[in-house]
Amino acid sequence: MAQRIDTSGNRLDDAARAGWLYYVAGNTQEEIASKLGISRQSAQRLVSLSVSEGLIKVRLDHPIGRCMDLASRLKSRFALDLVEIVPSDPASDSTIAGVAQATAAEIERWLKRPDPVVMAIGTGRTLKAAVEQLMPMEAPHHKVVSLTGNIAPDGSAAYYNVIFNMADTVKARSFPMPLPVIASSAKERELLHAQPMIRETLTLAAKADITFVGVGHIGADAPLYLDGFITDAELKALQKAGAVGEICGWSFDAEGRLVDGIINDRVASAPLPSLEDALVVAVAMGKRKLPGIRATLNRHLVNGLITDERTAEGLLEL
């Protein structure tokens, strides 16, 4: 019978210490065992526990030549101010771990600035994974504002809205958007946006120094559809109208132009900040997202991109 791993406070303390000795201080497992007065097998288990419990987050910090070349070409072709390309997993075309880690590193760089920063955050699976990678810090002089509503269609908190988790991790002031992602009508959205508290949040979002957004696709498994924000009929209408992607609920066609009607007149999200005064970074990867990412770049809806090798290659093919 397998022995159950003790994840009590003392056990996690030991795991954190072992993880630090191994990954940061560069000790071997034999050296860790000697320093902690335990067996080599126990040291190995503690190091593994430090990773599985999220006590240690390992990031690659080496400028891989291929990624650097792709980033340079994308930067030049699409007139981007920031491009980060991470290696693709040869065994998987869907893992978002690398992109999430690169995004977390970029978020941390901004939050470590001494001067106050307004950071706007969209929503999505990759951004949620990135926020989960953030190192705890004290950044009360910064403001983090949500671009999207945080209320799901059933009235619950939207699962992939990351503003609360992020604010808790970095101890920055948070400004959520207490709205549905998509209002029931254009008139309801107008009334909601007219509320003083919402107006102030929208004004703050427009002044963001740095913005991170996900790019959703408009396929059969579109996030907007899977998460219950749009109906099957609305999804088909968007596809018929030529929609290929969406950012914060705003759907657009292959040219990056917003699709008239359908849902765009009901999207309660804030508009993306102006690229003249801010950095707006798209965080996205994958073959099914290529049309949406390409449209985003061609239309200059963003001026930054964090993605992986395969996606970068796909963007440069045409």
Side-chain angles (χ1 to χ4, degrees), residues 30-76:
E30 288 84 357
E31 290 171 329
I32 295 171
S34 175
K35 290 179 179 181
L36 298 184
I38 57 179
S39 67
R40 184 184 180 281
Q41 291 77 13
S42 294
Q44 183 179 24
R45 285 195 292 270
L46 285 174
V47 170
S48 297
L49 182 61
S50 73
V51 176
S52 65
E53 291 295 316
L55 308 179
I56 295 291
K57 295 181 172 65
V58 181
R59 291 178 181 168
L60 178 68
D61 188 21
H62 181 278
I64 296 174
R66 175 61 175 160
C67 292
M68 292 180 67
D69 176 62
L70 289 169
S72 177
R73 291 165 61 191
L74 281 171
K75 204 169 188 178
S76 175

Side-chain angles (χ1 to χ4, degrees), residues 119-124 127-128 131 145-149 160-163 211-214 247-248 272 281:
M119 179 180 293
I121 297 288
T123 187
L127 274 177
K128 184 176 186 296
V131 168
V145 57
S146 178
L147 289 174
T148 64
Y160 292 104
N161 189 290
V162 301
I163 187 76
T211 297
F212 294 92
V213 295
I247 294 177
C248 297
L272 294 181
V281 182

Side-chain angles (χ1 to χ4, degrees), residues 138-149:
E138 298 287 335
H141 57 302
H142 297 317
K143 297 177 180 178
V144 182
V145 57
S146 178
L147 289 174
T148 64

